[in-house]
Amino acid sequence: MSGIVAAHGPFDPETGKRMLDRLSHRGPDGVGFRQCGPSWLGNRYLAIVDPAHGGQPLSGSTEDIWLVGDGEIYNHQRIRARLGADRFHTGSDLEAAVQLYEEIGVAAFEKLWGTFALVIASEDGRFVAARDPLGLAPLYWARQGQTVLFASEMKAFDEQWRPSVEPFPPGHAWTPEAGLIPGPVFPSGAPVLLKSRTPEEDPPTWVFDALRETLVRAVERSMQVDVPVGVLLSGGVDSSIVTAIASRIAGKKGKTLKTFAVGMAGSADLAAARVVAEHCGTEHHEHVYTAEDAIDLVPQVIAELESFDPTLVHSAVPNHLVSRLAQDHIKIVLVGEGADELFAGYSHYGEHSSGEALHQDLLDTIEGLHIGGLQRVDRVAGAHGLEPRLPFLDLDMVELALALPPAWKLTSLERPAKWLLRRAFDGWIPDEVLWRPKEQFGQGTGMNDVLRGHFGATISDEELARESGVLDPPLRTGEELAYYRMFTAALPGVNAQKTVGRFVEA
C-alpha cells in the first residue's frame, strides 16, 4: 500500500507535497519525493517487502531513472533472476518494475504479474504511468495545459484540479509521446472449455483439485511478506475459505493466524465468523456496534470511500469498523473480494438461463470492479494504514475461473450459487458456513436496512424530484441523494459523472 503523486510538465513541488500530505493514511511509514527532469515524483509508503530499504522513489541501475508505485509485483523474483541480481539495489518487489522498464521499455508492464499502479520518470525526459489489468491498485489522473498529474486517490488533488480528474484505465500505460497504450485484453473472452459442456454435467475431479490448488498458491503468495498478516473474516463462504487456507499456512510456520469480524448484536455474520475462527484455531477479534455507531460514521466513510453509491456505502461501514479493529495488530489483510464475480455469487446472476449470457455478465462486472468493490476494499483499508490482498483476484485464479464452462456456474435447486467453489473446499470449513446462503457484507452485518431507513427518511420526495437530475442516470432514492450531498461536501469540485461507479444492488 502506498500513496503516489506524479506530474509530467510544469508543476509546483509545493503542490505535490500538499497532495502527499492528503495521502498520509496510505503510507504511514515514510515519505519521499524528487524532481526528475521535467517530471516530479512523490510517495507515501507502507513498508511491506524489504522495509529497511524499500522507500520511494526507487532508482534503477543508475540514479537518473526513478519509480514511485503502489501495489505488489508477485513475479519480482523471476524478473531478478532473468536480469541478474547484481544490478538490484534493494529487495523491494517494485524495483523489478523499473529495472525491467530500463531493459525493454513500455513492454515491461505486460510482463508484470500482480497489483500495481506505477510511474517511472528519467532525467532525460522519459515518463510512463501504468496500471494493472484489473485495476486492483487505484490511480487517477488529470490534464490541464502542458501538465499531466497522477495520484492514488481523488482527495489528493487540489480543488482547482478536481474537475479534470478521471480514473486512469486499468490495463493501460501512458507516455507523453504515444498517449494511452492498451495492454493485452484481460480477462479473456470465450472460455476455453465452453463447447460440449452442459449445466447438468458433473465436473471431473481435476476441476475441483485445480481450483483448490490455485487458490492455495494465491494465498501463499499473499502471505510472503515481512510483516504480520490477518484475515477480515466476514462470516461468508469466501473469507471463510481464505481463513481456512491461511490458518494452515500460518500453522506450518508455527504461527497463529489473526482474524477480525464486526457486526451488530445478533448478526448472522458475527455468529458464522466465530464458528470458522474456532474451527480454524485463529486468534479471533470481534467488535459489536450499534445502529447509531454506524449512522454516525457514514459521512467519514463516504469521504474515505470516494463514492456515494448505496451498495458500496452499506458494505463500507462495517469494512471501516473491521479495518479499524485490525489496524493495531497487522499490516496486511486478506479479503474474499472477487469470488462472487468469478463464480456467480450474487443473486442477480441466478436470473440467467444460459452460460454464455452469464459469462458476459461476469466479464462486465469484473471490468467495473475497479470503481466498485475494489475501490471499497482499497480505500477503507488504506484509510487505516492496511494493505489489502485479494487471493481470488490473483491472475492465475481469475484465468482458471473464467476458463471453466460458465454453464457450470448456473444456479439450480441442486446447485446453489458458487457451488463449484464450495465443493472444491468441502471439509475445510464447517458445512453450516460452507453452504450458507449468500449475504452481502452489509446484509449479514445488519447495515442495509439501518442505513437505508435512516438516510432515506432525511430526504423528502420533493427534494429528490428537484435534485435527482444532477447526474445521468438520475439519483434513484432519497438515501442516494443524502450520500451524494456528503460526497460533494467531502470532495468539492470532483465530477461525479466521470469518476463514480453506480450499481444496481444485488
Side-chain angles (χ1 to χ4, degrees):
M1 175 70 67
S2 294
I4 65 175
V5 174
H8 180 75
F11 184 67
D12 180 3
E14 294 305 313
T15 299
K17 294 174 186 177
R18 285 197 305 272
M19 293 175 71
L20 288 175
D21 286 343
R22 299 186 195 112
L23 295 176
S24 60
H25 52 280
R26 295 185 69 89
D29 290 337
V31 61
F33 47 82
R34 68 178 301 117
Q35 189 75 36
C36 194
S39 304
W40 190 91
L41 303 178
N43 178 265
R44 295 289 313 221
Y45 60 89
L46 180 70
I48 300 297
V49 178
D50 191 13
H53 306 100
Q56 299 184 36
L58 282 167
S59 67
S61 296
T62 60
E63 292 194 356
D64 63 354
I65 186 167
W66 296 83
L67 170 146
V68 289
D70 179 25
E72 181 83 8
I73 307 300
Y74 294 132
N75 61 335
H76 69 103
Q77 296 288 7
R78 197 176 310 162
I79 294 170
R80 285 171 182 271
R82 173 188 160 189
L83 298 179
D86 57 326
R87 67 188 284 171
F88 285 79
H89 308 301
T90 74
S92 170
D93 56 292
L94 293 180
E95 189 184 352
V98 68
Q99 295 285 2
L100 190 60
Y101 174 77
E102 282 190 275
E103 191 76 10
I104 62 174
V106 176
F109 302 112
E110 297 182 12
K111 300 184 181 299
L112 299 180
W113 178 26
T115 164
F116 58 84
L118 307 172
V119 179
I120 297 173
S122 64
E123 296 291 347
D124 61 13
R126 285 175 293 161
F127 183 96
V128 62
R131 192 178 182 193
D132 69 75
L134 291 178
L136 293 165
L139 189 63
Y140 292 88
W141 64 335
R143 290 169 279 190
Q144 292 185 5
Q146 300 301 307
T147 302
V148 185
L149 186 56
F150 299 82
S152 296
E153 296 182 9
M154 291 188 284
K155 63 177 63 69
F157 292 87
D158 280 1
E159 193 165 341
Q160 65 268 28
W161 278 90
R162 288 181 178 175
S164 305
V165 171
E166 298 182 63
F168 188 83
H172 285 68
W174 181 88
T175 69
E177 300 78 22
L180 274 176
I181 305 166
V185 176
F186 187 85
S188 57
V192 298
L193 301 177
L194 176 60
K195 295 180 180 179
S196 75
R197 302 296 185 181
T198 66
E200 298 79 18
E201 179 182 8
D202 200 42
T205 301
W206 69 260
V207 169
F208 303 107
D209 292 342
L211 287 172
R212 186 168 51 253
E213 292 164 7
T214 303
L215 187 59
V216 168
R217 285 197 303 269
V219 174
E220 286 175 337
R221 277 192 288 269
S222 296
M223 297 178 72
Q224 290 173 353
V225 292
D226 302 324
V227 296
V229 178
V231 180
L232 302 187
L233 179 54
S234 72
V237 65
D238 310 328
S239 63
S240 297
I241 288 173
V242 171
T243 297
I245 298 169
S247 64
R248 294 188 183 195
I249 295 169
K252 291 177 181 177
K253 299 177 181 178
K255 298 180 180 179
T256 300
L257 182 72
K258 294 180 173 66
T259 51
F260 305 89
V262 299
M264 296 175 67
S267 72
D269 278 357
L270 271 183
R274 290 180 196 132
V275 170
V276 173
E278 183 175 357
H279 177 84
C280 296
T282 70
E283 180 188 313
H284 191 55
H285 303 260
E286 70 174 37
H287 171 68
V288 178
Y289 59 90
T290 67
E292 291 74 21
D293 294 335
I295 289 166
D296 290 345
L297 273 174
V298 167
Q300 178 184 346
V301 167
I302 286 175
E304 291 173 359
L305 180 62
E306 300 191 326
S307 174
F308 53 87
D309 183 79
T311 304
L312 293 185
V313 174
H314 294 166
S315 56
V317 170
N319 231 166
H320 169 99
L321 289 162
V322 76
S323 296
R324 189 172 72 187
L325 178 65
Q327 70 181 60
D328 292 333
H329 301 271
I330 56 174
K331 279 193 172 183
I332 298 285
V333 291
L334 307 184
V335 296
E337 196 75 28
D340 288 313
E341 292 78 10
L342 294 178
F343 296 98
Y346 294 124
S347 59
H348 71 271
Y349 293 136
E351 300 170 4
H352 291 289
S353 57
S354 85
E356 292 87 345
L358 173 60
H359 185 70
Q360 188 57 55
D361 196 358
L362 295 175
L363 290 178
D364 292 343
T365 306
I366 291 168
E367 186 177 344
L369 267 176
H370 70 285
I371 52 171
L374 293 181
Q375 179 168 323
R376 169 181 53 78
V377 169
D378 173 86
R379 296 299 192 284
V380 178
H384 295 86
L386 299 172
E387 178 171 306
R389 297 283 175 91
L390 300 90
F392 282 106
L393 293 177
D394 181 284
L395 295 189
D396 278 355
M397 192 66 193
V398 173
E399 289 182 335
L400 173 60
L402 293 179
L404 296 176
W408 287 346
K409 301 175 186 177
L410 295 171
T411 59
S412 67
L413 291 176
E414 296 77 25
R415 293 180 172 180
K418 294 188 291 194
W419 72 276
L420 283 169
L421 179 64
R422 297 175 198 261
R423 266 188 54 178
F425 285 90
D426 186 29
W428 285 60
I429 57 177
D431 282 352
E432 63 191 276
V433 177
L434 183 65
W435 297 101
R436 179 188 175 201
K438 167 68 181 173
E439 287 187 286
Q440 291 198 83
F441 199 16
Q443 292 170 335
T445 55
M447 271 304 86
N448 291 12
D449 293 340
V450 167
L451 298 183
R452 186 182 294 117
H454 176 84
F455 288 101
T458 66
I459 301 295
S460 69
D461 292 342
E462 292 76 16
E463 287 176 293
L464 180 61
R466 185 172 62 248
E467 299 180 40
S468 63
V470 68
L471 295 176
D472 182 24
L475 297 168
R476 296 160 289 191
T477 64
E479 180 194 16
E480 189 175 30
L481 174 55
Y483 297 160
Y484 176 75
R485 289 176 176 176
M486 296 177 199
F487 173 88
T488 57
L491 291 165
V494 168
N495 184 339
Q497 191 74 51
K498 295 192 299 183
T499 58
V500 177
R502 298 167 66 204
F503 309 95
V504 176
E505 189 161 312

